[in-house]
């Protein structure tokens, strides 16, 4: 199987509730965990960027299927995957868990007004979560921010800078963390802050959230053509190649 697809075999397949249990357990025990929410974009990046490929294969990285294209692709290669597990759902779960347990949280990324709105929502809705660092994604230097966050030893680190910048940044700084749950969350701060609407539940259930996002933000279309379509084509080609070898 091509190297960038290896992650499809190791991706978490048991479902969202099971993954939340696992994450909560790792948080409680202080086990250092880097979560990558795998979508076609990161896999297509891994096709051309060795650092992305390395992080998707790294033994201490936990991968979850973020998006229906990845769920279907994994199934095609024989991996049982119950459902997609999105970054925004996980981020919300971590904030709820932080509220319950008084965990410390570091936030990096998004526009300043988005970050501010998110901090306000956390204070109002999940007051037990202690925000120990909050840096917007436009006025700071990535490595300096990560050094400062690592020094604080937070329980939860959420980075919202987009794929693959957030994953590469977290991966390169991961060795500096002795504990904590770290995850790249893409546009989740925009949604969790309340400033951007997420697709209605019925659209998510129909696995059409990707279409909803494109229709709401047509500027996403080039990304779709650059990543999602080539990914689907690559999956098809890889399956044909593997069948041909049998
Ligand atoms: N972003 C940022 N700094 C930048 C570029 C992007 O903080 O220099 C943020 C942006 O504001 C948004 C997130 O990164 O909150 C990326 O969101 P997007 O919706 O593109 O990610 P997706 O969910 O599609 O992976």
């Amino acid at each position: 199987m091509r190297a960038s697809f290896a992650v499809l075999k190791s991706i978490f397949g048991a479902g969202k509730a099971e993954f939340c249990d696992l994450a909560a357990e790792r948080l409680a025990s202080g086990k250092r965990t880097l979560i990558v929410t795998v979508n076609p974009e990161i896999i297509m990046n891994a096709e051309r960027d060795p650092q992305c490929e390395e992080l998707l294969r790294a033994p201490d990285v936990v991968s979850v299927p973020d998006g229906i294209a990845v769920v279907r692709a994994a199934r095609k290669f024989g991996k049982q995957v119950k459902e997609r597990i999105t970054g925004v759902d996980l981020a919300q779960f971590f904030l709820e868990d932080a509220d319950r347990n008084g965990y410390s949280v570091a936030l990096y990324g998004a526009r300043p007004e988005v970050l501010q709105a998110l901090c306000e929502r956390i204070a109002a809705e999940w007051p037990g979560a202690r925000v120990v660092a909050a840096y917007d994604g436009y006025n700071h230097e990535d490595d300096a921010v990560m050094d400062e966050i690592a020094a604080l030893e937070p329980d939860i680190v959420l980075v919202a800078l987009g794929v693959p910048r957030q994953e590469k940044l977290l991966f390169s700084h991961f060795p500096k963390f002795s504990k904590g749950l770290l995850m790249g969350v893409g546009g989740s701060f925009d949604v969790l802050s309340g400033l951007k609407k997420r697709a209605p539940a019925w659209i998510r259930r129909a696995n059409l959230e990707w279409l909803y996002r494109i229709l709401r933000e047509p500027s996403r279309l080039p990304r779709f053509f650059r990543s999602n379509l080539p990914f689907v084509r690559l999956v098809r080609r890889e399956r044909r190649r593997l069948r041909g070898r049998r």
Side-chain angles (χ1 to χ4, degrees):
M1 182 126 98
R2 58 193 313 123
S4 65
F5 280 13
V7 68
L8 297 175
K9 289 267 185 193
S10 59
I11 212 155
F12 191 85
K16 185 179 141 200
E18 288 74 6
F19 188 77
C20 287
D21 287 347
L22 174 84
E25 203 182 290
R26 290 184 77 101
L27 263 170
S29 64
K31 269 197 203 122
R32 185 174 76 134
T33 311
L34 174 52
I35 300 170
V36 174
T37 61
V38 177
N39 59 14
E41 208 169 353
I42 186 106
I43 293 185
M44 293 315 291
N45 268 284
E47 281 286 311
R48 44 184 185 263
D49 179 346
Q51 203 195 348
C52 270
E53 198 231 292
E54 185 195 346
L55 77 87
L56 286 182
R57 277 192 284 111
D60 43 6
V61 168
V62 184
S63 306
V64 299
D66 183 358
I68 192 61
V70 170
V71 170
R72 287 187 182 138
R75 286 177 186 157
K76 283 187 175 132
F77 292 113
K79 170 83 184 181
Q80 296 228 342
V81 176
K82 184 174 166 196
E83 60 194 352
R84 70 198 186 105
I85 305 175
T86 65
V88 65
D89 282 336
L90 287 184
Q92 175 156 343
F93 172 78
F94 298 152
L95 292 171
E96 290 164 0
D97 206 39
D99 177 38
R100 283 188 289 269
N101 296 291
Y103 292 143
S104 54
V105 181
L107 308 170
Y108 177 36
R111 286 181 285 117
E113 63 276 21
V114 169
L115 188 64
Q116 161 116 32
L118 176 59
C119 288
E120 282 164 15
R121 183 172 178 209
I122 292 173
E125 215 160 305
W126 305 296
R130 292 178 295 113
V131 178
V132 291
Y135 298 91
D136 72 76
Y138 293 89
N139 297 294
H140 302 94
E141 201 271 312
D142 285 355
D143 291 315
V145 168
M146 287 311 294
D147 282 340
E148 286 183 37
I149 289 178
L152 295 167
E153 301 193 328
D155 297 303
I156 296 166
V157 180
L158 303 177
V159 176
L161 296 170
V163 173
R165 176 172 157 202
Q166 59 197 17
E167 282 77 19
K168 288 167 78 169
L169 185 66
L170 285 167
F171 186 61
S172 66
H173 286 267
F174 191 47
K176 293 179 194 155
F177 287 79
S178 55
K179 62 165 210 175
L181 199 151
L182 288 67
M183 183 171 75
V185 295
S188 302
F189 289 3
D190 303 75
V191 173
L192 292 175
S193 65
L195 295 182
K196 202 183 259 187
K197 252 191 137 94
R198 200 172 169 195
W202 69 268
I203 291 185
R204 300 201 302 259
R205 272 197 304 273
N207 289 321
L208 290 173
E209 191 165 19
W210 60 274
L211 182 60
Y212 175 89
R213 291 183 88 186
I214 289 175
L215 292 175
R216 300 268 311 200
E217 295 170 68
S219 58
R220 288 185 171 273
L221 209 51
R223 271 168 71 180
F224 182 79
F225 283 114
R226 232 183 2 253
S227 296
N228 296 57
L229 287 186
F231 174 67
V232 171
R233 274 200 295 266
L234 207 59
V235 169
R236 231 181 269 144
R237 206 186 316 147
E238 184 66 4
R239 284 194 77 208
R240 269 203 303 268
R241 192 181 71 81
L242 292 175
R243 265 199 236 116
R245 280 201 336 205
R246 271 193 227 128

